[in-house]
């Protein structure tokens, strides 16, 4: 039956099968216990702890945007372990435990978590206590505040990776015996799953189902607050190493907007087109003054091409609630078809104008983020939409074409409504299945927005090209490089994950955008056509 009101408004999003698949496969690719490497050693993936924190923070930022779109406040952290859990959840779902199918336990509204008894023969959880969780919480928070872990009287500097590893806690925890900082994040999941100490557990026990429960998001908002508070104590970026490029702005500060951030929906473009050629003709620079569109503000207009076809730009992206059938299972594992509501959106494309201020060629990293208009000064509200490399010729005035379905955050290939099946079959690359199925669903790339249109701020930043270390054949990779990295390779972005939003802004976000030639933004609407 899902969550109790008002959280039930977001059942469609938390229950989305592909979003649940992403969370499950992220943890399969990045297990807390490590994975075998090509040389046979069990180890964590590159920057595991930092990615654990960042990927879940991004999930929360997306969830917050959905909450605002249905009239709810941003998610509140569950940080008082002796408080009632206001929201109930009844999954009505089965899980295979290797021997039999069992039904997850429902949790009524107003329940509390408590101490867990010692593990008896019937398989209930081990004896973890709420007081222990409180101690571990306080110690991890203190480590973040002071910048040092203390283990066996030794001080260890807190860094992004070891903070994430210790909070999770993974193989990389600085507390190998789990006696100082505990098994904090993982233990919390078990407490929620066995809230009344009775089997079977709730959905919080499984990486395949945990995100369905509203308390998952409250718990991870609490986990994220530990990481966020540590980030707040770090020195702000100074952005002095930005590349010599210019993306134009009009207006000042918070109201600054960019004519160089151009959006098109699929229905506004010709049936067949070459993106680079179309962008250059419709929006680019030409020595012929009759064909030079470089200085025109084309944010929401129609441009006629030389062949008579038209290009419609837009300040509004469109989402849509759809229905499809998925196959669940009954108590003996038989398919049980069920019709579900799910969110999708119309295909859209970025056209970004940028001028190379250097007479030398250079590569740049293009970073695109999105945030609700009301939250733009809160760095934790920014949702990563894409990042990719682009090469500029010397003094070039370029129009960069980028389809949204190539986004660095989505699972590849992008699964669109016409690609979805009742069983949501895994990637055909069976030898890379978990890794290939790790990535945000393309259908959930955009927040739903509202029927009348909800305002969001679209942010574009150009950073140095050597930030992004992608192999020659990176286009063939079948995963989200932002959320899941590259298989058996270093995480491809050498910056802190979430850059530039992973640190406080010395002068605020609006002033930073206003004062940097390599950063710009504009306000757009996201409208759900059948809310």
């Amino acid at each position: 039956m899902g969550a109790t009101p008002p959280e039930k408004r977001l059942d469609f999003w938390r229950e989305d099968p592909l979003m649940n698949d992403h969370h499950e496969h992220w943890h399969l690719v990045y297990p807390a216990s490590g994975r075998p490497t090509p040389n046979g050693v069990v180890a964590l993936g590159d920057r595991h702890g930092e990615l654990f924190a960042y990927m879940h923070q991004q999930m929360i930022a997306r969830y917050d945007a959905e909450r605002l779109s249905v009239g709810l406040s941003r998610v509140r952290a569950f940080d008082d372990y002796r408080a009632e859990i206001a929201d109930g959840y009844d999954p009505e779902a089965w899980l295979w435990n290797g021997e039999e199918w069992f039904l997850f336990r429902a949790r009524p509204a107003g329940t509390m978590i408590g101490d867990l008894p010692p593990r008896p023969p019937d398989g209930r959880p081990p004896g973890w206590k709420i007081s222990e969780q409180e101690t571990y919480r306080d110690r991890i928070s203190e480590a973040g505040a002071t910048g040092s872990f203390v283990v066996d009287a030794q001080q260890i500097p807190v860094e992004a990776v070891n903070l994430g590893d210790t909070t999770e806690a993974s193989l990389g925890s600085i507390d190998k015996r789990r006696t100082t900082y505990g098994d904090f994040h993982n233990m919390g999941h078990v407490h929620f799953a066995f809230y009344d100490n009775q089997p079977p557990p709730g959905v919080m026990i499984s990486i395949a189902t945990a995100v369905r429960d509203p308390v998952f998001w409250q718990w991870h908002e609490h986990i994220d607050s530990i990481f966020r508070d540590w980030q707040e104590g770090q020195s702000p970026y100074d952005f002095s190493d930005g590349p010599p490029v210019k993306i134009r702005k009009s207006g000042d500060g918070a109201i600054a907007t960019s004519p160089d951030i151009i959006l098109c929906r699929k229905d506004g473009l010709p049936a067949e087109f070459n993106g680079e050629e179309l962008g250059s003709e419709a929006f680019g620079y030409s020595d012929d003054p009759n064909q030079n569109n470089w200085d025109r503000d084309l944010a929401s207009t129609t441009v006629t091409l030389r062949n008579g076809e038209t290009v419609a730009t837009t300040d509004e992206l469109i989402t849509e609630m759809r229905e499809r059938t998925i196959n669940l299972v009954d108590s003996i594992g038989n398919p049980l078809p069920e019709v579900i509501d799910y969110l999708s959106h119309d295909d859209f494309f970025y056209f970004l104008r940028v001028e190379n201020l250097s007479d030398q060629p250079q590569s740049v990293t293009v970073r695109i983020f999105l945030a609700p208009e009301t939250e733009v000064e809160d760095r934790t509200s920014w949702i990563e939409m894409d990042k990719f490399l682009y090469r500029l010729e010397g003094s070039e005035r370029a129009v960069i074409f980028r389809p949204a379905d190539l986004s660095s955050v989505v699972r590849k290939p992008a699964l669109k409504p016409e690609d979805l099946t009742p069983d949501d079959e895994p990637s055909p690359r069976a030898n890379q299945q978990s890794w290939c199925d790790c990535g945000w669903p393309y259908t959930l790339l955009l927040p739903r927005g509202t029927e009348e249109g909800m305002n969001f701020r679209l942010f574009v930043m150009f950073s140095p090209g050597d930030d992004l270390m992608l192999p020659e054949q990176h286009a063939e990779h079948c995963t989200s490089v932002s959320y899941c990295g590259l298989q058996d390779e270093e995480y491809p972005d050498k910056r802190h994950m979430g850059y530039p939003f992973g640190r406080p802004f010395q002068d605020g976000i609006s002033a930073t955008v206003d004062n940097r030639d390599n950063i710009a933004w504009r306000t757009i609407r996201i409208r759900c056509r059948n809310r």
Side-chain angles (χ1 to χ4, degrees):
M1 298 297 289
T4 52
E7 300 298 321
K8 193 170 183 64
R9 299 178 204 172
L10 288 170
D11 276 358
F12 79 92
W13 197 84
R14 289 190 310 272
E15 306 276 353
D16 189 283
L18 294 178
M19 195 263 285
N20 279 257
D21 279 353
H22 160 66
H23 181 256
E24 176 185 16
H25 287 100
W26 188 91
H27 281 282
L28 291 175
V29 171
Y30 290 92
S33 57
R35 62 189 180 192
T37 62
N39 61 11
V41 177
V42 174
L44 296 174
D46 185 49
R47 295 167 67 179
H48 174 111
E50 184 182 3
L51 187 52
F52 165 80
Y54 178 62
M55 191 281 293
H56 286 89
Q57 183 275 324
Q58 282 290 290
M59 291 182 73
I60 294 168
R62 289 179 172 277
Y63 187 54
D64 279 340
E66 297 296 339
R67 294 179 66 84
L68 293 173
S69 77
V70 299
L72 298 177
S73 62
R74 293 173 65 174
V75 67
R76 293 184 175 88
F78 188 89
D79 51 11
D80 180 355
Y81 309 156
R82 300 177 189 272
E84 289 186 352
I85 306 170
D87 312 302
Y89 181 71
D90 183 357
E92 291 193 341
W94 297 84
L95 182 69
W96 177 255
N97 67 4
E99 298 179 355
E100 62 180 353
W101 292 92
F102 68 88
L103 186 65
F104 284 109
R105 189 172 181 80
R107 189 191 67 251
T111 56
M112 300 173 68
I113 59 175
D115 294 343
L116 300 174
R119 187 188 299 273
D122 66 4
R124 284 182 293 179
W128 289 328
K129 300 182 182 302
I130 294 298
S131 59
E132 293 175 322
Q133 278 288 77
E134 291 169 332
T135 296
Y136 300 146
R137 173 199 63 198
D138 295 345
R139 288 174 178 170
I140 293 174
S141 297
E142 182 180 8
T146 62
S148 295
F149 292 110
V150 179
V151 178
D152 296 332
Q154 299 294 314
Q155 289 194 344
I156 302 171
V158 173
E159 300 171 349
V161 173
N162 65 15
L163 181 58
D165 283 330
T166 303
T167 303
E168 188 181 8
S170 74
L171 179 67
S173 172
I174 54 90
D175 181 18
K176 303 303 181 186
R177 298 193 303 273
R178 306 291 195 268
T179 55
T180 303
Y181 299 103
D183 195 2
F184 182 62
H185 157 265
N186 303 325
M187 214 161 74
H189 272 260
V190 178
H191 274 289
F192 290 115
F194 287 93
Y195 73 92
D196 62 356
N197 297 325
Q198 298 298 318
V203 295
M204 283 286 280
I205 200 66
S206 171
I207 57 175
T209 56
V211 301
R212 299 172 64 176
D213 191 330
V215 83
F216 169 92
W217 305 90
Q218 297 165 27
W219 179 239
H220 273 275
E221 172 65 17
H222 175 41
I223 297 296
D224 184 59
S225 70
I226 296 171
F227 204 81
R228 183 170 63 240
D229 290 348
W230 171 75
Q231 289 177 326
E232 285 297 308
Q234 306 307 299
S235 298
Y237 301 121
D238 64 14
F239 302 115
S240 62
D241 62 349
V245 301
K246 184 173 184 177
I247 180 170
R248 292 168 293 184
K249 295 180 279 284
S250 59
D252 299 309
I255 62 171
T257 189
S258 176
D260 291 339
I261 301 173
I262 300 169
L263 294 174
C264 292
R265 299 197 301 267
K266 186 176 182 179
D267 61 7
L269 296 172
E272 295 184 5
F273 64 94
N274 177 292
E276 288 77 13
E277 293 176 0
L278 183 148
S280 179
E281 179 182 348
F283 314 121
Y285 177 81
S286 173
D287 290 329
D288 182 345
N290 295 320
Q291 298 179 7
N292 179 21
N293 290 324
W294 181 258
D295 292 319
R296 292 180 61 192
D297 187 344
L298 301 169
S300 183
T301 190
T302 299
V303 179
T304 302
L305 304 176
R306 288 189 291 269
N307 64 5
E309 293 186 299
T310 59
V311 174
T313 66
T314 186
D315 58 6
E316 184 175 83
L317 299 179
I318 304 297
T319 64
E320 181 178 38
M321 292 302 301
R322 291 172 170 255
E323 285 187 351
R324 70 184 181 103
T325 300
I326 61 170
N327 284 335
L328 303 178
V329 293
D330 62 19
S331 60
I332 57 175
N334 292 322
L336 189 66
E338 180 173 323
V339 177
I340 64 167
D341 295 324
Y342 75 101
L343 177 64
S344 190
H345 58 83
D346 292 355
D347 288 331
F348 66 98
F349 305 85
Y350 306 98
F351 292 90
L352 308 174
R353 297 192 293 202
V354 62
E355 181 179 1
N356 185 358
L357 299 178
S358 168
D359 60 4
Q360 299 298 311
Q362 62 172 317
S363 291
V364 291
T365 298
V366 186
R367 302 175 184 272
I368 305 175
F369 287 79
L370 183 75
E373 184 78 8
T374 58
E375 312 298 311
V376 296
E377 288 297 339
D378 183 344
R379 63 180 183 81
T380 67
S381 70
W382 287 91
I383 297 165
E384 183 177 351
M385 296 293 288
D386 203 356
K387 65 182 168 192
F388 57 93
L389 283 172
Y390 191 85
R391 182 166 178 79
L392 295 166
E393 298 302 323
S395 303
E396 181 182 10
R397 295 173 179 176
V399 180
I400 301 172
F401 168 70
R402 181 70 169 179
D405 61 12
L406 293 183
S407 166
S408 64
V409 306
V410 304
R411 164 185 169 178
K412 307 296 189 308
L415 296 178
K416 301 181 180 182
E418 60 267 27
D419 303 316
L420 303 181
T421 66
D423 292 313
D424 286 336
E425 288 90 349
S427 167
R429 295 190 182 185
N431 63 327
Q432 300 176 322
Q433 180 177 317
S434 291
W435 185 70
C436 287
D437 292 344
C438 178
W440 195 252
Y442 176 67
T443 49
L444 293 181
L445 181 61
L446 288 178
R448 183 166 69 168
T450 60
E451 186 174 8
E452 63 276 12
M454 179 176 170
N455 285 345
F456 285 80
R457 195 75 62 90
L458 189 62
F459 170 104
V460 176
M461 177 184 196
F462 295 90
S463 69
D466 59 6
D467 283 356
L468 208 53
M469 303 170 290
L470 289 173
E472 288 289 330
Q473 301 302 317
H474 72 275
E476 297 181 3
H477 286 279
C478 58
T479 192
S480 160
V481 296
S482 288
Y483 289 175
C484 308
L486 295 172
Q487 189 176 30
D488 300 323
E489 298 180 32
E490 292 182 8
Y491 186 79
D493 193 343
K494 74 177 186 181
R495 300 278 184 170
H496 295 127
M497 295 177 194
Y499 178 84
F501 297 104
R503 293 287 185 274
F505 285 70
Q506 182 171 348
D507 300 317
I509 297 176
S510 292
T512 300
V513 173
D514 194 39
N515 293 327
R516 295 289 168 182
D517 282 344
N518 62 315
I519 309 174
W521 58 14
R522 62 172 285 202
T523 296
I524 64 169
R525 289 189 308 276
I526 300 180
R527 180 172 63 84
C528 184
R529 65 162 54 95
N530 62 344
R531 172 71 175 267

